[in-house]
Amino acid sequence: GFHSDQQNKMRVLSVALLVFCLASVFAESGPRLLINRHILNHELIVGKNTVVNVEIYNVGDEAAYDIEYVELGAFEQFTPVVGVSSGSAWPKLSPGQKISHNFVVKPTETGSFVAGNAEVHYNAQGSLDTHVVKIIDRMEYPVVAYSEYERQTAPHVKEWAIFGALCLVPTMLALSSWVVFQVSYSHGLKKGSAVHNVHVLKTTKSKKK
């Protein structure tokens, strides 16, 4: 019917639009940059160096120019040690290549830290239009004091020694009870008792027979 024909036409138009959009994306030439930023440390510790790695990839088919990394996050809360935590710039990034940029900071107080956002700005050759690639990071990283970190990662030798001693005490008590029983009793009778002496006498006579 009429509604069925309309639905079929809408499906065809939707598929055609999707194909057109995909073709436009894959057919688009020029530089295309991707950005990745991650903290290399397993733990963020007050007063200890924290290394942040930024990698920028050109997955396009042309070189990118005037590349600028802009740090919009909260790393300015930390004390800078090596490199510039607010950003950096490079003149060119060829197709299939990457830029690796590190900076080092030190956390100053305990609590939760959110790295925040970052951007990369770049231009294509002969173009004044600036392209922008963004990172949105809302993950919380705990910042701990060194004493807390040391407590969590210490080998705990003292605790293990106490645990081993507590496990050993019941075993030693059972063993000592067994030794005392073997020394003091024979065939379930206490040595030196009248009953034990009678039992020994009977056993001796039976052996002589």
Side-chain angles (χ1 to χ4, degrees), residues 85-188:
S85 60
S86 59
S88 192
W90 302 268
K92 179 182 177 181
L93 180 59
S94 300
Q97 301 297 313
K98 77 171 182 177
I99 294 170
S100 185
H101 170 63
N102 291 344
F103 59 89
V104 182
V105 291
K106 284 184 180 180
T108 55
E109 59 183 17
T110 59
S112 295
F113 169 72
V114 178
N117 303 343
E119 294 180 350
V120 169
H121 303 170
Y122 66 97
N123 296 326
Q125 186 175 17
S127 174
L128 298 178
D129 295 333
T130 301
H131 301 273
V132 180
V133 181
K134 296 182 179 181
I135 286 179
I136 299 176
D137 187 355
R138 292 290 180 266
M139 181 179 293
E140 289 190 6
Y141 301 88
V143 181
V144 300
Y146 181 73
S147 57
E148 177 66 14
Y149 170 78
E150 190 176 37
R151 184 188 69 80
Q152 294 176 357
T153 58
H156 304 292
V157 175
K158 182 179 179 181
E159 288 83 352
W160 278 110
I162 294 173
F163 176 75
L166 291 175
C167 291
L168 192 61
V169 167
T171 304
M172 294 302 297
L173 287 174
L175 180 62
S176 61
S177 299
W178 181 82
V179 171
V180 169
F181 180 82
Q182 293 296 318
V183 172
S184 303
Y185 290 80
S186 176
H187 301 287

Side-chain angles (χ1 to χ4, degrees), residues 51-102:
V51 182
V52 183
N53 174 250
V54 178
E55 292 183 328
I56 304 169
Y57 302 85
N58 185 355
V59 297
D61 56 6
E62 293 182 9
Y65 295 89
D66 303 322
I67 301 116
E68 182 183 10
Y69 171 71
V70 182
E71 181 59 62
L72 303 174
F75 288 104
E76 69 273 5
Q77 300 175 9
F78 297 166
T79 303
V81 178
V82 177
V84 180
S85 60
S86 59
S88 192
W90 302 268
K92 179 182 177 181
L93 180 59
S94 300
Q97 301 297 313
K98 77 171 182 177
I99 294 170
S100 185
H101 170 63
N102 291 344

Side-chain angles (χ1 to χ4, degrees), residues 27-41:
E28 181 182 356
S29 62
R32 287 186 60 206
L33 300 191
L34 301 177
I35 178 174
N36 179 44
R37 179 192 65 191
H38 57 280
I39 298 173
L40 299 184
N41 298 58

